[in-house]
Amino acid sequence: MKSVTHLAIGALTYTNYLMLSGNKIDILDIPIVLTFSVLPDIDISSSKISSKLRNIPLNLIIYGVLSIFSLIILYMCLVKQSISYYYILSVPAMIVFLKLFSKNKTLKKISLSLFFVFLYYIFYKYSKVGSTKNIFLFLAVLPYFTHRSLSHSIISVIIIAVTLYPLSMTDTLKSYYTAALISYSSHLFLGDIFTKKGIKLFYPLSKKDVSFNVFKSPKIYNNLDTPFLIIYGIFSIFIFLNFFAK
């Protein structure tokens, strides 16, 4: 499943949650939803599909994640002023890593892992976020697993839920927790599980692929990206109208 489809599914799922719950959106919910909707595919560099997608550089995915995390760090640092200015140093550091190691897949994995370890250290040293920082250690190991295994399992959802749980204990951060958990789960349970390949839902207890293969025709399945992209555009309009309401 293409990343744009996962983005659309995550965005639409969170939109439904907002409409049913009556909650208002925080502007930071947007990059969180976009990030966690595609986050399970952080293991894609170790998958067979990555070789078939060689015409789409993996760097685009990495830089996309970097850009979103950069926006989050800058927003939390400059706007909300809830974290130290030291966080900004992680942005140029990651750019240097990506530039040096962009031509080697193994080094890409190492540089990405080092980046997440660095973020963990920053959060450990200069913030009081409790177990939330442990999510970076989890992300640091995911690139070394085969595609649609650990990152696409129930255990990964539990890890995300547990590590980010402290956010739900604070009223101002509760929506971030909900956005992350819903969008990450949508990737698995409303996305890849409906593909022919499916996902290793019970990994590492079982390596069997679980699939509710609804779309038998690859042509029909691939063409779903266009309407999803259109719906995603409608979602974006909804987001801004809802945010600037009142």
Side-chain angles (χ1 to χ4, degrees):
M1 182 174 285
K2 297 179 181 179
S3 58
V4 65
T5 310
H6 284 302
L7 290 172
I9 291 174
L12 290 169
T13 304
Y14 191 62
T15 300
N16 278 313
Y17 162 76
L18 291 176
M19 296 175 68
L20 292 173
S21 65
N23 293 335
K24 285 189 62 64
I25 192 170
D26 186 295
I27 190 64
L28 194 56
D29 288 350
I30 300 174
I32 290 176
V33 167
L34 298 181
T35 299
F36 280 83
S37 292
V38 296
L39 196 57
D41 282 340
I42 198 172
D43 60 6
I44 197 171
S45 63
S46 61
S47 68
K48 292 181 179 180
I49 195 172
S50 63
S51 62
K52 297 179 181 180
L53 298 177
R54 57 185 178 275
N55 294 326
I56 304 177
L58 186 61
N59 286 341
L60 293 178
I61 298 176
I62 298 176
Y63 283 127
V65 173
L66 170 66
S67 300
I68 293 175
F69 270 111
S70 299
L71 288 173
I72 293 175
I73 291 174
L74 291 174
Y75 178 80
M76 296 294 287
C77 182
L78 301 178
V79 179
K80 290 214 165 185
Q81 298 182 344
S82 58
I83 61 176
S84 169
Y85 285 98
Y86 287 107
Y87 286 80
I88 299 179
L89 296 176
S90 64
V91 178
M94 184 54 181
I95 293 175
V96 172
F97 270 126
L98 292 174
K99 195 68 177 178
L100 291 175
F101 301 144
S102 60
K103 296 185 181 297
N104 185 288
K105 289 184 178 181
T106 300
L107 290 177
K108 281 181 183 179
K109 295 178 185 179
I110 295 174
S111 63
L112 191 58
S113 295
L114 288 176
F115 173 62
F116 287 126
V117 171
F118 177 72
L119 285 179
Y120 172 83
Y121 173 77
I122 293 294
F123 274 78
Y124 174 80
K125 190 75 174 178
Y126 302 107
S127 68
K128 298 178 180 180
V129 293
S131 65
T132 302
K133 62 182 178 296
N134 293 330
I135 191 175
F136 295 115
L137 296 180
F138 174 61
L139 296 177
V141 303
L142 286 183
Y144 303 97
F145 287 85
T146 56
H147 188 43
R148 296 190 180 183
S149 57
L150 180 61
S151 67
H152 288 64
S153 67
I154 292 179
I155 289 181
S156 69
V157 177
I158 294 175
I159 292 175
I160 295 293
V162 172
T163 55
L164 297 183
Y165 183 74
L167 298 179
S168 68
M169 305 300 290
T170 305
D171 290 338
T172 56
L173 303 177
K174 188 174 182 180
S175 67
Y176 304 160
Y177 174 77
T178 306
L181 192 58
I182 288 178
S183 54
Y184 191 97
S185 299
S186 72
H187 184 112
L188 279 59
F189 304 119
L190 297 177
D192 286 345
I193 200 170
F194 289 102
T195 63
K196 183 177 181 180
K197 177 178 174 54
I199 59 177
K200 293 178 174 58
L201 189 61
F202 302 105
Y203 187 91
L205 299 178
S206 172
K207 295 184 179 180
K208 182 179 179 181
D209 292 320
V210 177
S211 172
F212 302 140
N213 187 16
V214 176
F215 307 106
K216 302 295 183 181
S217 170
K219 184 176 181 180
I220 295 176
Y221 181 76
N222 290 333
N223 287 338
L224 287 175
D225 288 332
T226 299
F228 267 127
L229 186 59
I230 295 174
I231 297 174
Y232 175 67
I234 297 175
F235 164 78
S236 300
I237 297 175
F238 166 80
I239 287 293
F240 286 101
L241 289 177
N242 192 27
F243 178 73
F244 290 109
K246 293 186 177 182

